[in-house]
Amino acid sequence: MRILLVEDEKKILDFLKQGLEEQGYAVDIADNGNDGLHWALSFAYDVLVLDIMLPGKDGLAVCHELRNQRIITPVLMLTARDTVDDRVTGLDSGADDYLVKPFAFRELLARIRALSRRDSFQKLMTMRVGDLLLDTITHTAQRGDRSIDLSTKEYALLEFLMLHPNQVLSRTVIAEHLWSYEYAPDSNVVDVYIRYLRKKIDDDHEEKYIRTIRGTGYQLVNPDQV
Ligand code: CA
C-alpha cells in the first residue's frame, strides 16, 4: 500500500511517516497543498491523508481538484477543527473520512485499513485465498495449520497480491504500490521479494499460489475464484 501524506507540521509529518513505514506502508510526503496535489496526480496512491490547513492550496481545495480530475483515491482528512460545518465541508469536498487532531495513531491505522479496502471484496480482518490466511491486524500468515512469520515488506507484498486475486500485476505496478518515491527500487527487487514470499508460502506445497506471468509480472491465483 502506498500512501501520500500531506501535512505542514513537521513533527506530525515525521511521526506519521515513521509509524506508517513501520507498518509496511510506502509513504510519500508533501508539506504544502500544491506539492500534495502534484504528487496525488502523479502516482496511483492507495490512500491520501490530507491535512486541511496547509500553506498553498488547503486540503479542501486539493481534494476538490482531485475529484474534478476524476482521481477517486480514498481521502482521509485531518483537521484541528471539529464542528459539524467543518465535517460537512470536508466530506462535501470529496473526502471519504475525517479525523480530528489530536488522534490516536491506532485510529489512523484502522481508518486507513478501512479506506484501502473500501472497494475490495475483502472487508474482513483476515484475508483468505485457498488455505492461505493473512491476518491484517497482526501481519501474520498461515498456510494450512502452519503459521508463517513475514517481514514488513513481505507482508505488504502478500497483502497487495491478496487484494488483487487472479489479476496479473506488473512489476511496475507492484513496485509503485510497495515503495515510496524515496526508495523507488529496481524492478528486480520485486522479483527478490516474490522469491522470499514463495519460499514461505508455496515451496512446501503442491499447490502454488504465486504464478509468474512471463514478461509481465505476477499473479496470485485464488483457486476458489478460478
Ligand atoms: Ca496544518
Side-chain angles (χ1 to χ4, degrees):
M1 296 281 172
R2 184 165 174 184
I3 294 179
L4 175 64
L5 203 55
V6 189
E7 162 68 76
D8 59 318
E9 282 168 69
K10 191 172 181 323
K11 261 169 83 175
I12 299 180
L13 189 64
D14 291 347
F15 171 76
L16 294 180
K17 177 174 159 62
Q18 188 188 343
L20 289 169
E21 284 178 346
E22 283 168 8
Q23 294 293 315
Y25 292 103
V27 183
D28 288 327
I29 52 172
D31 64 3
N32 66 77
N34 297 14
D35 288 352
L37 180 61
H38 169 77
W39 283 100
L41 291 171
S42 307
F43 288 98
Y45 291 101
D46 298 289
V47 175
L48 307 176
V49 179
L50 203 52
D51 189 28
I52 290 189
M53 302 284 278
L54 290 168
K57 284 184 199 296
D58 71 15
L60 298 171
V62 170
C63 193
H64 231 310
E65 180 67 28
L66 289 173
R67 297 312 187 222
N68 279 342
Q69 301 215 25
R70 308 224 162 275
I71 306 286
I72 56 163
T73 311
V75 170
L76 173 61
M77 286 276 188
L78 304 180
T79 185
R81 304 176 303 192
D82 182 28
T83 68
V84 172
D85 276 352
D86 289 332
R87 265 173 282 167
V88 169
T89 312
L91 295 171
D92 279 349
S93 75
D96 300 87
D97 201 359
Y98 195 91
L99 198 53
V100 178
K101 294 175 183 174
F103 51 81
F105 186 66
R106 280 193 312 138
E107 183 173 5
L108 178 79
L109 287 179
R111 285 175 192 258
I112 287 174
R113 278 196 296 268
L115 284 177
S116 61
R117 311 257 143 84
R118 191 181 50 173
D119 298 323
S120 147
F121 74 99
Q122 181 56 268
K123 294 196 185 293
L124 303 173
M125 297 304 120
T126 304
M127 301 167 70
R128 192 180 70 84
V129 163
D131 67 351
L132 176 65
L133 298 172
L134 186 66
D135 186 319
T136 63
I137 309 292
T138 62
H139 290 191
T140 53
Q142 195 177 330
R143 177 135 192 211
D145 48 19
R146 185 172 56 92
S147 68
I148 301 164
D149 283 332
L150 298 169
S151 73
T152 307
K153 210 42 120 182
E154 290 164 357
Y155 169 81
L157 175 58
L158 183 56
E159 182 194 48
F160 187 67
L161 295 173
M162 288 179 84
L163 280 168
H164 303 90
N166 300 323
Q167 287 179 36
V168 176
L169 301 167
S170 71
R171 289 177 178 81
T172 311
V173 164
I174 294 172
E176 266 196 18
H177 284 269
L178 260 69
W179 279 273
S180 63
Y181 189 74
E182 187 183 6
Y183 299 111
D186 296 337
S187 60
N188 69 354
V189 173
V190 173
D191 300 331
V192 170
Y193 277 95
I194 288 279
R195 210 177 312 136
Y196 293 156
L197 208 50
R198 274 191 163 137
K199 204 168 185 165
K200 292 191 175 180
I201 69 168
D202 271 348
D203 275 8
D204 300 337
H205 298 263
E206 187 88 21
E207 185 174 29
K208 314 289 186 198
Y209 290 134
I210 299 174
R211 191 178 285 173
T212 302
I213 309 299
R214 200 173 282 278
T216 309
Y218 299 96
Q219 179 188 34
L220 185 85
V221 179
N222 184 348
D224 303 332
Q225 286 186 352
V226 174

